[in-house]
Structures are given as C-alpha cells and as structure tokens.
Amino acid sequence: MSLVRNLITKLESSALFPHAELSACLRTSDADEIRQLFSAACKMKERVTGRSVFFRGLIEISNVCMRNCFYCGIRKDNAKVQRYSMDEDEILHAAKKALDLHLGSIVLQSGEIQSSEFTERIEKLLLRIRRETEEKLGITLSLGEQSAETYDRWKKAGAHRYLLRMETSNPELFQKIHPKKQRFEQRVACIDYLSSSGWQTGSGVMIGLPGQTYDDLVNDILFLKEHNVDMVGMGPYLPHPDTPLTQHFPYTSGTLLLSLKMIALVRIVLKDVNIAAATALQVLADDGREQAILAGANVIMPNLGGEEFKRNYNLYEGKKDLNDNDDSGMSRLLERLKQLGQKPVWDEYGDPRHFFSRSHP
Ligand code: SAH
C-alpha cells in the first residue's frame, strides 16, 4: 500500500495521531509517492471547499518592529532597514484597491509594536476601513503578540481573523531562534486566546529551520490540530543576510518540496481549514504559489502595498516583486489558475469552514 493510503487508513481507523505515517510521507523522495500525496490532498480540498481559491490583499502597513527574532530581516537591531509606516490614507487606498479587484478580504501585517498608541491607531484604522468599504472586505490582522484587551478592541473595531504563527511547535527550537524574553508559552497563550474569543485564528511554521527535524514538523501538524486552528500559513525558512541565524547557519534554507508536502499533509489531517499559499514559496519557484494550490492550499495573498513600501518589507532575501497589484500581474496569475482548473472566488470573505464546524468555548 502507498504511504498516503497508509496515512489515510490510519486516520480513518484509529484515534491515535499517525506520527510514523506522517513522518514517512515527509521523508519520501519517491516521485510516485509524492504525486499520490498531492493528489490525495487536492481530493480532500475539493471535498471541503471545491476548487475555490480565495484571495486576501496583503498590505504590509509598517516594518517598524520592537522584536529581535533571529531569522527576520526587519528585526529591531537591523540598522540597514529603512523604516516606514503607511499612513491611514495610504492604507485606505490599498484597501480600496482590494475592493476594485474584487478580492473580498485584506490582511494588515506589520512588525510588532505593543503600545497604547499603536492599539488605538489600528482601532481607528479598522473603524475607517469598515466604514469606507461598507463592510465589504473581510479583515485579517497579522500584528504579532498583543494583550487580550488589545485583541478585544481590534475585534470590536471590525477585524475578524488573526494570523500568529507559532513558528515551530518545539519549545527548545523556538527559544533558539528568538531572544530569551520571547517565550513559546506566551505565543501559545495568544493563539489560544484568539481562538477562544471568537477570532478566526491562523497559525503556522517556518519549514527548514536550522536544527528542525522531521519529527518537529510532524509535531507542528499535531499542534495545529490540537489548538484547533481555522487557518494555516506555512512557508520555507529563507535566510536573510543581516540576521544572526543566517550568520550562524549560512547555508540553511527550506525547500519547496518539503513545504509542499507539509501543505498536503495539513490538508489531509486538518481537512476543512483555509491554507495559504505563502508568498515565500514564490522565492523558490516562479509558480510556487500555484504549486501550493495543487498541493492542497486554497488561499492566495496578492501584495497590494505601493512600491516604496514593498521594497522595505524584507523578512527574507529574494522577495519577488510580484506585481500582483497591477492588472497584468493579476491577470497572469488568474490565467495560470484557470489553466490548473481552479476557480477564483470574487467579492466573498472566504471564511474557513472549520471556524463554523468547531465548537466555540
Ligand atoms: N510581526 C508579525 C507579522 C510579520 S512576520 C508577527 O510576528 O506575527 C510574518 C511571518 O513571516 C512570521 O511569522 C515568520 O514565520 C515569517 N518570516 C519571518 N522571517 C522569515 C524568514 N527569514 N524566512 C521565512 N519566513 C520568515
């Protein structure tokens, strides 16, 4: 029996988490096994969401960050970064572009800032976006760890999805790639709070981190399942030259194949969640996002920020200028999706089914 058949049989017949089967799928280099894995993931996706592809217009609103994550190019101590913060009008302009393109949803992402000014600035921004776009856009936030009160205020102001990757489910590895005062437990507490307080909650990991094992990746899938996430965003770890992690492990990077396998396995195990075709995949192959769609992902996040901002939001090296926000870039992407038999969905929030099927404590 093939590896993926084994996995599915185990999932259907046993309440135990299929560690060994998942690990075997991650390790295999057999082309036929890999084809079967992607095909099984696509079948699962079709069962739960059809061939729909949802879009979220990504707006990278600021690269100012108070954190010093060892892998990230916009970390506080990287003095080479030219810092920017988009003002309200600039962000509104990008949000309206999402409306014009009929994308249905936006993601506001930035470096992490914990302050009452920042909380208030985002709150006001959300109220204005809701008002000026007549609530036609789903709003996802990706603004790092915050207090419960801040999360509550932003939810009340109109956001309804939050992305906070745990980066890895291995607490020791987490500590190796973050400064001491960033605690794994705190990150997990934020994810659990979001999930229990009515947010559609997304999490995920970087794939191919220095020191990460196949077992870690299997445990990442288990973590996402146990924490009942609605959305998953995962992508390859990509080195940035001006970070401590790259200086210590100069030749380490994630691969496209391992990232695609993780997407496929998360689809097979978690079933009705939304899975993003991460932008980082595009660095490893021009059609990285389309390949992810064929491995079980169902969300694409075209970058809507202006040129001057996108250039300075470099989490890793090699970020492609995707030109998603001009008409020709978007129509090229659509043409490719059509060739792959996928069905772009317009003007809908595109909520993950999982959010409605899970119980809300
Ligand atoms: N500050 C916010 C969001 C910005 S970073 C937060 O902390 O959630 C968004 C994601 O980019 C991170 O969660 C991380 O998984 C990813 N990322 C950062 N540096 C990266 C790198 N060098 N390679 C790949 N992904 C990276």
Side-chain angles (χ1 to χ4, degrees), residues 203-222:
S203 195
V205 297
M206 285 178 286
I207 296 154
L209 286 162
Q212 192 180 42
T213 64
Y214 287 115
D215 259 355
D216 288 334
L217 292 170
V218 172
N219 286 327
D220 291 342
I221 301 174
L222 178 60

Side-chain angles (χ1 to χ4, degrees), residues 62 64-65 67 69-74 108-113 141-145 162-167 182 187 204-207 209 233-240 243 245-246 280 313-317:
S62 168
V64 177
C65 191
R67 296 293 197 185
C69 306
F70 297 152
Y71 47 85
C72 184
I74 63 167
L108 304 178
Q109 189 176 82
S110 80
E112 191 169 311
I113 302 168
L141 300 182
S142 174
L143 308 172
E145 294 176 24
Y162 207 99
L163 299 175
L164 186 63
R165 291 183 177 180
M166 78 287 195
E167 315 297 359
Q182 267 169 272
R187 176 72 56 126
V205 297
M206 285 178 286
I207 296 154
L209 286 162
M234 298 175 299
Y237 159 66
L238 300 169
H240 185 292
T243 59
L245 205 57
T246 302
Y313 198 87
N314 281 335
L315 307 175
Y316 41 77
E317 197 175 29

Side-chain angles (χ1 to χ4, degrees), residues 68-82:
N68 258 317
C69 306
F70 297 152
Y71 47 85
C72 184
I74 63 167
R75 63 199 303 273
K76 178 173 170 231
D77 287 352
N78 183 4
K80 292 192 190 163
V81 179
Q82 201 182 328

Side-chain angles (χ1 to χ4, degrees), residues 28 53 74 85 109 113 133 165 202 211 225-226 252 264 336:
T28 187
V53 177
I74 63 167
S85 289
Q109 189 176 82
I113 302 168
T133 61
R165 291 183 177 180
K225 186 174 165 57
E226 286 187 332
T252 307
R336 287 197 301 257

